[in-house]
Amino acid sequence: MWSLAQVRNRLILSARVIITDHWPRPGRRDWCPICHCPWMCEPTVVAYAYLRLVGQHMWIPPHFRTSDNP
């Protein structure tokens, strides 16, 4: 059986995966590559809502952070 901390951590990880998958690509910065609709799409909104609930809402996928891109 999983502890509450394990469930919370798993949900945080799942929300981050959803955000990463739905994050706009450089060619279309205003478009979800999965949903094919304007970004922020519904899955991203829900994932960020969960992260906000647990205090992790300022998360950006590492490979999309501007400090990592020249």
Side-chain angles (χ1 to χ4, degrees), residues 1-60:
M1 182 155 211
W2 290 15
S3 70
L4 289 177
Q6 289 173 314
V7 171
R8 178 186 179 273
N9 291 337
R10 177 62 83 158
L11 288 171
I12 289 171
L13 178 62
S14 295
R16 288 178 175 179
V17 167
I18 290 167
I19 292 167
T20 300
D21 289 347
H22 290 259
W23 198 264
R25 302 303 185 255
R28 299 244 4 225
R29 294 188 183 273
D30 62 341
W31 199 253
C32 173
I34 303 295
C35 298
H36 304 291
C37 65
W39 195 79
M40 290 180 124
C41 61
E42 188 68 21
T44 304
V45 170
V46 172
Y48 268 119
Y50 177 74
L51 291 179
R52 187 171 36 259
L53 181 70
V54 297
Q56 303 282 322
H57 65 282
M58 295 304 292
W59 190 80
I60 297 173

